[in-house]
Amino acid sequence: MLTAVYIGNFKAFSESQRIPIRPLTLIYGANSSGKSSILHALILACHAMETGDLTALQRKTHMNELFEEMEQQAKALEITK
């Protein structure tokens, strides 16, 4: 099971930082603090593991497609009463 992820030299994270992952992980903070960068790093890592493609960052449109797909999946997970 994934217990932590290290992110560095990626978007809002210039220095490497350890992000702990637990069964319930909340990501919150001020605007421009790196919340979306954490999600984007996880999506990129998942994509790289599934496809072996480590060049997605070099193709901006491909990364935008991944992020749009993530947003669509998040909308599908809306919780209703």
Side-chain angles (χ1 to χ4, degrees):
M1 173 169 43
L2 184 66
T3 58
V5 63
Y6 290 85
I7 303 173
N9 197 26
F10 182 78
K11 293 190 164 207
F13 296 92
S14 57
E15 299 291 323
S16 183
Q17 296 184 33
R18 180 182 185 272
I19 311 293
I21 305 293
R22 304 247 163 72
L24 176 62
T25 301
L26 303 177
I27 301 172
Y28 61 93
N31 290 345
S32 299
S33 62
K35 299 178 299 290
S36 294
S37 296
I38 294 170
L39 297 176
H40 291 171
L42 290 171
I43 291 167
L44 179 60
C46 183
H47 173 75
M49 287 176 24
E50 288 176 352
T51 66
D53 180 11
L54 300 174
T55 63
L57 281 176
Q58 296 171 356
R59 298 185 317 271
K60 186 177 179 184
T61 45
H62 186 62
M63 284 303 293
N64 288 339
E65 290 171 9
L66 286 173
F67 298 150
E68 287 173 12
E69 181 180 327
M70 175 198 73
E71 290 175 7
Q72 292 299 322
Q73 291 174 356
K75 288 177 184 174
L77 294 175
E78 285 185 39
I79 299 173
T80 57
K81 290 184 176 184

